[in-house]
Amino acid sequence: MKRSTKIAAGAFATLGLAVAVAFAHPGGMGPGRMMQGMQHGPMAGMHAGDAAFQADMQLVHEMLAGHDKIKRTVENRPDGIRTVTQSEDPQVAQAIKAHVGSMEQRLKDGRIFNLFSPTLPVLFDNKDKIRTTVEMTPKGAIVTQTSSDVRVVAALQAHAEEVDELARDGMAAMMRGMRASMMGGAR
Ligand code: HEM
């Protein structure tokens, strides 16, 4: 594991992740500028004090650590997506199910959970235009999301691709996303 990846992995259970990335890349952005970015970037509106926050971070950690045990397919449809995300590993499968359940509840309640994604704010801003169906399977979840708004459909498909990258590359994808976000690539 590369040194920067190790630093981020160690800090993952807390919001220290973002700080770890900033210190691992001192040439990029200092903590001051990072905090400023967080007030306007995708982490804006994110509440670390949210009771479910730590539990949600723990699930993300488990999925990233077990990313090579995740099988995922995404079908883009004219009105949205159908995704199948599963694992033969019972603990990873359980994390996927718990994550999907928790995220769908957050979407309904408008309680965003985001670290770097430029598409999640679009989805949460338009939550009333999204129809979601979740089917839990023994090994994971099948999620169908549709919308009659083409911009929302595009955001659903872009987010599904972000999840693909996280499942494929694990922590490396997380680091890429964090870096892109800090450089101003995200909303
Ligand atoms: C390996 C890592 C991850 C996996 C396997 C995963 C899996 C999923 C799945 C299966 C969905 C349902 C939508 C879809 O299938 O495209 C989803 C939705 C969601 N995920 Fe993740 N996720 C991961 C990482 C993350 C991270 C790092 C965050 C934010 C910090 C996050 C936040 C969300 C949110 C907010 C939703 C709800 C979006 C919506 O319903 O429109 N996920 N995730």
Side-chain angles (χ1 to χ4, degrees):
M1 201 189 282
K2 285 206 308 234
R3 184 174 164 271
S4 58
T5 309
K6 260 192 208 157
I7 293 170
F12 213 111
T14 68
L15 256 183
L17 171 69
V19 177
V21 175
F23 282 114
H25 301 276
M29 173 181 267
R33 262 189 68 203
M34 185 187 68
M35 292 308 288
Q36 205 180 4
M38 280 164 59
Q39 284 161 20
H40 303 290
M43 285 179 94
M46 182 105 152
H47 301 290
D50 177 331
F53 179 85
Q54 290 288 347
D56 285 329
M57 284 303 287
Q58 178 60 35
L59 293 173
V60 164
H61 188 194
E62 280 174 33
M63 291 189 298
L64 289 175
H67 77 97
D68 52 343
K69 297 175 192 150
I70 297 176
K71 287 201 173 66
R72 175 171 161 88
T73 59
V74 176
E75 185 192 327
N76 282 341
R77 296 170 165 183
D79 63 348
I81 53 165
R82 180 182 185 272
T83 70
V84 182
T85 312
Q86 305 195 101
S87 178
E88 295 291 334
D89 181 301
Q91 201 184 336
V92 177
Q94 189 48 44
I96 292 168
K97 290 198 260 193
H99 174 73
V100 168
S102 177
M103 292 304 114
E104 292 326 312
Q105 192 57 50
R106 278 185 174 274
L107 187 66
K108 264 189 211 143
D109 300 345
R111 289 180 297 119
I112 195 163
F113 180 72
N114 187 16
L115 293 176
F116 61 82
S117 163
T119 57
L120 283 174
V122 179
L123 297 180
F124 277 75
D125 281 354
N126 291 283
K127 66 187 178 68
D128 297 332
K129 296 183 183 167
I130 300 171
R131 279 180 310 281
T132 301
T133 313
V134 175
E135 185 193 326
M136 296 298 176
T137 70
K139 294 176 185 171
I142 301 173
V143 178
T144 307
Q145 292 188 298
T146 60
S147 177
S148 53
D149 183 323
V150 289
R151 286 173 314 123
V152 178
V153 170
L156 285 170
Q157 295 177 347
H159 178 251
E161 203 176 311
E162 287 168 12
V163 176
D164 267 12
E165 286 182 26
L166 288 165
R168 191 188 62 220
D169 298 339
M171 187 62 81
M174 188 83 182
M175 300 288 287
R176 269 201 312 270
M178 294 292 291
R179 263 198 302 267
S181 169
M182 285 176 191
M183 296 305 167
R187 187 185 111 172

